[in-house]
Amino acid sequence: SSGINAEWPLRPGMMPLSNVEQLWRDYSTFEQNVNEIIAKKLLEERSRDYQNARRVAKDYEATTRGLIRGAPALPPQNNGDERAQIEKRKKYRLRLCVDTTA
């Protein structure tokens, strides 16, 4: 196939988390345009990596949904919104710890 294979992310940690499905569609189209016969084999080989990256992206999205990343560091007010953000940040940090040890 082409040189894109060398650049295609091989590990989930290298995969951009946004637009995983679009990246896969673009990659599939590219490989099929280069060589349809080889494309089928290459796509089968990479399918597991794609499924894993897709799972990680969806999990990351679910973990960070509602998390206000740009919130200024202020003294605690101990209100409901703040407690909700603290819980979301705890889940996010826990997810980071789990992902880096896997």
Side-chain angles (χ1 to χ4, degrees):
S1 180
S2 68
I4 196 169
N5 286 333
E7 297 172 17
W8 182 252
L10 299 177
R11 294 179 293 171
M14 296 171 58
M15 176 65 72
L17 293 178
S18 61
N19 302 320
V20 173
E21 288 88 1
Q22 185 62 47
L23 284 170
W24 181 252
R25 282 192 298 273
D26 291 347
Y27 173 70
S28 298
T29 301
F30 175 82
E31 288 296 353
Q32 289 171 356
N33 288 337
V34 171
N35 186 329
E36 287 184 36
I37 297 168
I38 296 174
K40 183 177 180 180
K41 182 178 185 280
L42 289 172
L43 294 173
E44 285 175 6
E45 289 174 1
R46 294 281 187 236
S47 179
R48 186 174 175 186
D49 295 332
Y50 160 66
Q51 292 297 330
N52 188 44
R54 189 171 157 218
R55 179 191 55 78
V56 169
K58 287 185 183 286
D59 187 41
Y60 179 79
E61 182 181 318
T63 302
T64 58
R65 187 177 298 124
L67 184 63
I68 302 172
R69 294 187 188 116
L74 300 171
Q77 302 299 313
N78 202 19
N79 60 35
D81 291 338
E82 184 180 71
R83 283 191 297 275
Q85 283 297 305
I86 289 169
E87 288 305 312
K88 289 177 187 200
R89 289 186 183 277
K90 284 180 184 178
K91 288 180 184 177
Y92 176 68
R93 285 189 196 116
L94 179 60
R95 172 51 72 198
L96 287 177
C97 292
V98 170
D99 286 345
T100 58
T101 60

